[in-house]
Amino acid sequence: MIDPHVHLRDWKEKEKETLAHGLAVALSCGIDEVFDMPNTQPTLTERNTVLKRLKDAEQCGIGVHYHLYAGLTSSPEQIGAMVSLVQELFPRVVGLKMFASHSTGNMGLVQEKEQALVYRTLSDCGYEGVVALHCEKESLLHPELYNTTDFSSHSLARPVCAEVKSVSDQLRIAQEEGFKGHLHFCHLSSIEALHEIEKARSQGVRVSCAVTPHHALLSSDDAKDRSLYAKMNPPLRSETERSALFAALLGGRIDWIESDHAPHTLHDKEAGASGIPGFSGILLLVKELLEQGATAPLLQKLLGRRVQEVFHLPCREIFIPAYDDLESLSTKSADEYPWDSYRNLRLR
């Protein structure tokens, strides 16, 4: 299986996870290919850091195909350098990532003029590869609504409308600036955002989207249980949103599943850090999809085939663990981390 959205930490965050540990846990779940995100410490926004990351991952000696996204800033020179790096090192550097809002790592380009500059520069460089996007419109966030004693309030602080408007903005600005590449919208948390993407797709825009296990299996009600530490960006949503996204997965409307695997220490979670370990959730989501009638071709698409198509990767076989093994493999993976946001789901 392919997991095209992970945060494997290491370096200045090695107390949260090392590359070797993350890759080993992924492989134990049947995930043998990952795309690492650039909001590491230090960030993957310049050549030498990217090269070091690739070397460090290779030296782990674990049988997982490792790729990474290069991060984008608001500097035209930096953007051009990252385009050149993708052209030189693809598929090890598989694409570019822009945070259209602040999240873990504070790499957000939150002003429309910054976002327009990115697309304009990419157009001028002739870049037609993938740009992955974290979409939450900063001006529509309400941090004052976040209650530190109730993680479910995170959904009030970062509401659905912020995601939907940001998705709409990126589609519009990219078109206005003549961007000819492929837009990938990460970790959708709302069916309304999917409607925006489907409308663009019907108009010929090169676009894809993904859903995480936590947004498909958990709701904001789960986040009320503080022991689950179920806080992430974008947040868990209502049961209505959750069930609609799950139905969209079953209906083949989503391009792929991505874990957004993002481990922290318990100390950091108590302090409000966003992100959860996600490899175990992929297996639980596969189990639930199978129980709800998902076909083998659909699961093949969601767990790697569509990723191969969009990124023009070699068409390797996608192996999915047997149904009878999914629960035990998921539990084993969860035991590798200091908490399990899916714990209550296992007990239902």
Side-chain angles (χ1 to χ4, degrees):
M1 298 184 290
I2 301 176
D3 186 348
H5 189 138
V6 302
H7 301 267
L8 293 181
R9 308 306 189 195
D10 213 315
W11 294 354
K12 292 182 180 180
E13 297 182 299
K14 61 185 177 183
E15 74 280 3
K16 300 182 181 185
E17 180 159 70
T18 63
L19 278 163
H21 181 263
L23 292 173
V25 175
L27 191 60
S28 73
C29 293
I31 297 164
D32 67 349
E33 191 161 2
V34 300
F35 296 3
D36 205 1
M37 289 294 167
N39 54 333
T40 51
Q41 290 191 22
T43 58
L44 304 179
T45 52
E46 61 93 26
R47 179 183 177 86
N48 288 339
T49 311
V50 168
L51 292 176
K52 175 171 172 49
R53 188 72 168 187
L54 291 169
K55 182 178 179 181
D56 287 356
E58 182 179 1
Q59 288 180 339
C60 290
I62 296 167
V64 176
H65 300 267
Y66 178 87
H67 313 265
L68 60 80
Y69 280 102
L72 295 174
T73 72
S74 59
S75 163
E77 292 76 18
Q78 188 270 347
I79 296 167
M82 294 303 98
V83 168
S84 296
L85 203 58
V86 174
Q87 293 169 341
E88 175 189 352
L89 296 177
F90 183 86
R92 289 189 295 163
V93 181
V94 79
L96 304 171
K97 175 70 179 283
M98 180 169 73
F99 291 84
S101 67
H102 288 302
S103 187
T104 303
N106 290 321
M107 288 179 64
L109 302 179
V110 303
Q111 302 298 323
E112 285 194 22
K113 63 181 180 180
E114 295 177 310
Q115 296 163 7
L117 182 147
V118 167
Y119 292 119
R120 189 180 317 128
T121 305
L122 293 176
S123 297
D124 291 344
C125 292
Y127 179 75
E128 296 187 4
V130 175
V131 174
L133 295 160
H134 179 123
C135 286
E136 292 177 282
K137 193 171 182 68
E138 201 81 10
S139 63
L140 296 178
L141 303 185
H142 296 281
E144 73 279 3
L145 298 180
Y146 175 60
N147 178 352
T148 58
T149 66
D150 180 5
F151 289 148
S152 71
S153 67
H154 195 48
S155 190
L156 303 176
R158 302 177 82 104
V160 165
C161 64
E163 178 181 66
V164 177
K165 186 62 168 69
S166 185
V167 167
S168 176
D169 283 349
Q170 300 316 301
L171 290 166
R172 171 180 55 82
I173 297 169
Q175 182 179 32
E176 290 173 351
E177 299 301 332
F179 178 64
K180 297 292 192 291
H182 183 106
L183 297 176
H184 173 67
F185 292 93
C186 301
H187 46 49
L188 290 192
S189 69
S190 65
I191 199 68
E192 296 91 333
L194 177 59
H195 293 159
E196 293 292 322
I197 292 164
E198 289 178 325
K199 181 167 62 177
R201 182 178 284 141
S202 71
Q203 296 168 352
V205 178
R206 294 174 59 201
V207 61
S208 58
C209 63
V211 167
T212 68
H214 46 271
H215 289 121
L217 294 175
L218 305 175
S219 74
S220 53
D221 284 342
D222 294 291
K224 293 177 181 178
D225 182 344
R226 188 175 179 83
S227 69
L228 299 183
Y229 296 103
K231 178 175 181 277
M232 68 289 295
N233 301 329
L236 297 180
R237 303 300 187 190
S238 68
E239 175 60 19
T240 300
E241 294 284 3
R242 185 213 65 78
S243 60
L245 286 179
F246 187 89
L249 278 171
L250 268 180
R253 297 166 61 191
I254 306 295
D255 290 275
W256 58 75
I257 293 166
E258 55 191 25
S259 73
D260 196 8
H261 172 76
H264 291 284
T265 64
L266 278 178
H267 178 270
D268 288 336
K269 290 299 291 184
E270 283 290 344
S274 292
I276 65 171
F279 296 135
S280 66
I282 283 185
L283 299 175
L284 291 180
L285 180 53
V286 171
K287 181 173 181 288
E288 184 67 18
L289 286 167
L290 283 168
E291 290 172 354
Q292 297 301 319
T295 64
L298 174 61
L299 291 175
Q300 290 278 321
K301 169 199 166 184
L302 291 173
L303 295 164
R305 188 69 67 221
R306 180 67 177 140
V307 174
Q308 292 171 340
E309 293 171 358
V310 168
F311 289 89
H312 305 291
L313 298 175
C315 187
R316 300 189 302 114
E317 194 68 34
I318 304 298
F319 293 102
I320 299 171
Y323 175 82
D324 290 344
D325 296 331
L326 293 169
E327 182 79 30
S328 61
L329 289 173
S330 176
T331 301
K332 181 180 177 181
S333 169
D335 288 345
E336 292 290 324
Y337 299 96
W339 82 96
D340 178 12
S341 294
Y342 298 97
R343 185 187 68 237
N344 289 349
L345 188 65
R346 299 172 201 279
L347 301 176
R348 291 173 190 166

